[in-house]
Amino acid sequence: MTEPREIIMSMKNKYFDICTHLEEYNYQQIISMLVSSLKMVLNTPFVAMYTYNKWEKNYKLINEINVQENFSPKKIIVNDQELKQMSPKTMFNAVLSIQPLKEFNILLYVGWLEKQPFSQENIDEIREETERFLTIIKSYYLQKQSREKADLLYEFSSDILPMKDKEEILHYIIQKLSFLYPNCEFHLLLSHDLDTNSDLPVKTIEYSDDVTKRASTQVFISGSLQIEIGETGGNPTLYAPLSGKQGVYGVLQVITKSDLHFLDDMADFIKGVAEITGKAIENASLFAHINQSISDLKLINDTTHKLNSNLQLSEITKHIRNLIIEVCHASQIGFIYYSETKESDYEILTGSTAYFTTKQGHMLVEYLVGRNLKEAIFSGDFKEISHFPYKSVMVTPMTNSNTIYGFIVVMHEEQAYFSFERFKLLQLLTHHSTLALTNTSLRERLERAVITDHLTKLYSRNHLEEEISNHMVVGEMGALLLFDIDDFKKVNDTFGHHVGDQVLKQVAQVIKTFIETEDIPARWGGEELAIYAPNITLNEGVQVAGLIRRQVEKFTDPVVTLSCGVAAWDLEEEDTIKDLFLRADKALYEAKNTGKNCVAKHTLTSYAIDANTNKQ
């Protein structure tokens, strides 16, 4: 029978022999060689090694050699006492508690069918030599793993830090980690402002109060790695923050699917990968932000030049609307301009989208006007109006020299659709366009004032004559309708000039309801009004004049009537603007002399009175 001293010496030799071949095997293979050597040297039918899992607070079986058919060791135990008690009564055992590097807890179980031949002193020596051996191989593989980890992290850094696209960075990380750890499942828990493609394993970080205890949420808030163990046991889940210098951009979730003996080292490596990823995302975000800022500045500069190029108000609003649609992808855009007298009166400018002409659009504008906006609105969940279809709303006041001239409204159906960067750009666009809008609006109002009659808001006679003269050069035909309010002096004498002015306004309003887009209504002078209608015949002009005459008689208070003279021109006959005016004026004179409240027409050779006009 071999003496214990010789057995221990043989064990040392085996350990030494294994140490000389460390480069040829991985850690798990070395552990198998260790267990096999102990079985052979100690002449035992059963050897098992357990390693402590500090996350689950138990020991897990990592290797065994068992030739006992009626004995199946536990895969997980709580302590060494449970290990001693699990073997059959017919088996003698020794449990060695080993702590290589003072950081790892290992239980080595050795079982004999006969009483083991070793004294406690021998058992202690076996434990010490095994601990010394495990310290050597642990140190070797940890250093090797550390070098490999450093090389991998350097490779990760070299590959992803130059990347300028966040999508590309995240794809790279998931692919690499999935290759390195095929028995793990990886997910990206990202904040709302980090948009990614749907083919990435992405989840959204939740911020509600009821999830503040979740490990993923704590990691995102604290920026520190955490490992979560399920309530029913099982393999751990790692949560590593994707953190840069300026903040945390998300969380890398690693769900383990098999036993991992190097969980601490894996966690350390995953943490390093996550930190590199966070820095890469931050660099890409900064690069994108710089490019976006340059693009925005160029946009503002181009817009300023465009708006200062003497555009009309409708052209300005159309240009700004198209810009906002391009950069914000908005569904609806409205330009609301206050009147000169008070903010409660407003105008929805041309260039606004069609929604603002609807009843619901007017309700929104009324609400915003009623708020007397001084500050901008940036809402991702607008609930101020019930059943309102747009969740994302941005409103920026048009302010210049501490005066608010109106506001711009930008909306989209989706919740939280606009980023804060787009909101700031909208404010810049509004700021730089307000001066152009106010100057152009003022210029157009002055231009309208020059060509518009103050009382009736119809065009002036000079403007009418200019437009007719231009049209007779480029057009093919047209009709001039002259109206005179019958017995207008009697209205002024009976009711006063104030009522006379109101009657003029009423007649002007009736005329406006009958004009087409190209028609030019004007105040001819005193109680005489006119319409020039391009591209209609003399008889068509008579019909329009008759309709207006009848409507004036129905809808004026006090009731007045009209006399009307109509003249027309076309390319088939030689004509002049002076002759056109004379014919219209002569026809009006004939209508007045025929009994008033009727329509007369005059051609180049004759005139005629509209039949039965007094009876209609």
Side-chain angles (χ1 to χ4, degrees):
M1 181 177 178
T2 306
E3 292 294 323
R5 177 52 51 191
E6 295 177 11
I7 293 174
I8 292 174
M9 186 57 66
S10 176
M11 181 190 69
K12 290 181 179 180
N13 291 335
K14 284 287 184 181
Y15 285 170
F16 179 78
D17 185 56
I18 293 172
C19 286
T20 60
H21 297 84
L22 291 181
E23 293 184 0
E24 302 172 23
Y25 305 100
N26 61 35
Y27 179 78
Q28 191 60 42
Q29 290 171 325
I30 293 295
I31 293 299
S32 296
M33 293 168 66
L34 165 64
V35 173
S36 297
S37 298
L38 284 173
K39 175 188 176 299
M40 181 181 67
V41 171
L42 301 180
N43 190 27
T44 175
F46 178 68
V47 180
M49 181 177 286
Y50 291 80
T51 186
Y52 185 68
N53 185 322
K54 71 177 182 180
W55 309 108
E56 298 182 20
K57 294 181 171 51
N58 56 30
Y59 288 86
K60 289 192 174 184
L61 180 66
I62 61 171
N63 201 285
E64 67 165 309
I65 293 182
N66 180 20
V67 297
Q68 298 297 302
E69 295 180 359
N70 60 344
F71 174 52
S72 178
K74 291 183 178 180
K75 301 297 182 183
I76 298 175
I77 60 173
V78 177
N79 51 45
D80 58 344
Q81 294 301 316
E82 186 179 352
L83 184 59
K84 292 176 182 179
Q85 295 169 2
M86 76 176 182
S87 59
K89 295 180 179 180
T90 56
M91 182 180 290
F92 300 91
N93 62 65
V95 177
L96 286 65
S97 178
I98 301 170
Q99 283 189 303
L101 299 178
K102 307 299 182 183
E103 297 177 6
F104 303 94
N105 292 321
I106 294 174
L107 293 178
L108 184 62
Y109 178 95
V110 183
W112 291 272
L113 295 178
E114 299 177 358
K115 188 174 182 180
Q116 53 93 357
F118 301 104
S119 66
Q120 185 58 46
E121 183 180 351
N122 298 144
I123 293 295
D124 289 342
E125 190 173 359
I126 292 172
R127 186 196 64 76
E128 290 172 1
E129 289 300 325
T130 303
E131 186 173 85
R132 186 176 293 113
F133 169 75
L134 284 172
T135 298
I136 292 171
I137 65 171
K138 276 279 188 182
S139 298
Y140 173 81
Y141 283 107
L142 286 175
Q143 291 176 11
K144 181 181 179 182
Q145 191 179 51
S146 179
R147 290 194 300 272
E148 291 173 349
K149 182 179 72 175
D151 291 341
L152 275 173
L153 289 177
Y154 178 77
E155 179 185 341
F156 272 68
S157 300
S158 301
D159 288 346
I160 70 172
L161 287 177
M163 292 180 183
K164 305 304 180 187
D165 182 75
K166 288 177 276 190
E167 195 88 18
E168 183 184 5
I169 292 169
L170 296 174
H171 269 291
Y172 176 91
I173 290 300
I174 294 298
Q175 290 172 359
K176 282 288 187 180
L177 289 177
S178 298
F179 175 77
L180 291 173
Y181 299 102
N183 291 323
C184 292
E185 184 180 323
F186 297 91
H187 294 278
L188 295 164
L189 313 178
L190 304 178
S191 56
H192 287 286
D193 57 351
L194 200 62
D195 294 328
T196 61
N197 209 322
S198 57
D199 62 346
L200 279 166
V202 172
K203 302 176 183 177
T204 302
I205 289 284
E206 299 181 59
Y207 300 99
S208 58
D209 292 338
D210 59 338
V211 297
T212 53
K213 294 184 179 180
R214 290 184 185 174
S216 59
T217 309
Q218 290 179 352
V219 170
F220 187 80
I221 295 172
S222 67
S224 58
L225 181 138
Q226 290 195 30
I227 296 178
E228 187 177 58
I229 306 297
E231 295 180 0
T232 58
N235 296 304
T237 299
L238 283 71
Y239 295 91
L242 306 176
S243 55
K245 293 181 179 179
Q246 297 181 0
V248 178
Y249 301 94
V251 175
L252 175 62
Q253 181 189 46
V254 185
I255 302 173
T256 63
K257 291 186 175 179
S258 65
D259 237 352
L260 295 171
H261 306 299
F262 287 101
L263 182 59
D264 286 333
D265 302 298
M266 178 191 180
D268 191 37
F269 177 69
I270 293 295
K271 180 182 178 182
V273 170
E275 288 176 352
I276 294 171
T277 304
K279 289 183 175 67
I281 291 173
E282 189 168 78
N283 290 344
S285 299
L286 181 61
F287 179 78
H289 179 71
I290 291 172
N291 279 348
Q292 187 62 60
S293 297
I294 293 172
S295 176
D296 290 348
L297 287 172
K298 185 178 183 300
L299 178 69
I300 294 297
N301 185 57
D302 292 345
T303 300
T304 303
H305 283 296
K306 183 78 173 177
L307 297 180
N308 289 333
S309 58
N310 204 29
L311 296 176
Q312 293 183 350
L313 187 62
S314 60
E315 293 174 318
I316 291 176
T317 54
K318 182 179 179 181
H319 179 69
I320 298 171
R321 181 195 66 198
N322 292 340
L323 277 178
I324 294 172
I325 290 174
E326 179 183 347
V327 300
C328 297
H329 306 288
S331 298
Q332 303 294 345
I333 302 170
F335 300 90
I336 316 304
Y337 204 82
Y338 295 140
S339 71
E340 296 178 56
T341 55
K342 52 183 178 179
E343 291 184 359
S344 59
D345 292 335
Y346 62 88
E347 177 186 0
I348 299 175
L349 299 181
T350 303
S352 303
T353 51
Y355 173 80
F356 288 91
T357 64
T358 66
K359 181 178 179 181
Q360 193 177 58
H362 279 282
M363 286 176 59
L364 171 66
V365 174
E366 291 282 356
Y367 166 76
L368 294 174
V369 169
R371 284 188 58 170
N372 194 23
L373 291 174
K374 296 292 189 296
E375 301 293 336
I377 295 175
F378 178 54
S379 174
D381 189 15
F382 191 78
K383 297 179 179 178
E384 305 301 321
I385 301 176
S386 60
H387 307 296
F388 191 66
Y390 299 96
K391 297 296 183 184
S392 296
V393 176
M394 299 189 291
V395 184
T396 53
M398 292 188 285
T399 306
N400 185 41
S401 300
N402 297 321
T403 301
I404 299 178
Y405 292 91
F407 51 87
I408 298 177
V409 188
V410 180
M411 304 186 297
H412 196 276
E413 296 85 352
E414 292 184 22
Q415 194 172 19
Y417 183 79
F418 302 120
S419 67
F420 188 70
E421 286 74 16
R422 296 301 86 188
F423 172 61
K424 300 302 290 184
L425 178 60
L426 176 64
Q427 288 184 306
L428 279 174
L429 279 172
T430 304
H431 174 73
H432 284 271
S433 60
T434 296
L435 183 60
L437 281 167
T438 54
N439 287 344
T440 303
S441 177
L442 177 61
R443 186 187 73 236
E444 291 188 3
R445 285 200 302 270
L446 290 173
E447 289 173 352
R448 284 197 300 271
V450 170
I451 63 174
T452 303
D453 174 61
H454 177 72
L455 179 63
T456 62
K457 304 304 179 185
L458 301 178
Y459 287 111
S460 66
R461 177 170 177 171
N462 288 338
H463 179 69
L464 176 72
E465 291 181 3
E466 184 179 341
E467 290 295 316
I468 295 174
S469 179
N470 292 336
H471 188 253
M472 290 184 75
V473 174
V474 298
E476 296 182 356
M477 66 175 69
L480 175 62
L481 290 63
L482 290 184
F483 300 95
D484 184 86
I485 301 176
D486 298 325
D487 302 315
F488 187 69
K489 183 177 183 302
K490 186 183 294 184
V491 173
N492 282 331
D493 292 343
T494 303
F495 300 100
H497 287 278
H498 175 72
V499 173
D501 289 345
Q502 294 303 313
V503 168
L504 275 169
K505 290 181 181 180
Q506 292 172 28
V507 174
Q509 190 60 40
V510 171
I511 288 175
K512 288 178 183 178
T513 61
F514 282 91
I515 62 172
E516 300 294 336
T517 304
E518 296 180 348
D519 294 348
I520 304 168
R523 187 175 183 185
W524 190 257
E527 67 270 25
E528 293 181 336
L529 309 174
I531 298 176
Y532 177 70
N535 305 319
I536 70 171
T537 65
L538 178 64
N539 288 333
E540 288 171 338
V542 170
Q543 291 177 0
V544 173
L547 291 172
I548 292 173
R549 182 194 63 75
R550 289 192 290 273
Q551 291 296 103
V552 165
E553 191 173 10
K554 287 182 180 179
F555 295 104
T556 50
D557 181 22
V559 175
V560 295
T561 60
L562 293 181
S563 296
C564 180
V566 182
W569 70 275
D570 61 56
L571 288 177
E572 295 180 359
E573 296 179 317
E574 186 176 344
D575 206 347
T576 65
I577 186 172
K578 180 179 179 181
D579 289 339
L580 178 68
F581 288 166
L582 287 173
R583 292 198 303 276
D585 192 56
K586 188 172 183 179
L588 176 61
Y589 177 80
E590 297 295 341
K592 299 287 284 186
N593 286 341
T594 306
K596 304 176 183 178
N597 194 21
C598 64
V599 179
K601 62 183 179 180
H602 208 304
T603 66
L604 284 170
T605 57
S606 63
Y607 73 90
I609 305 297
D610 187 29
N612 301 316
T613 54
N614 287 316
K615 300 177 183 179
Q616 296 176 4

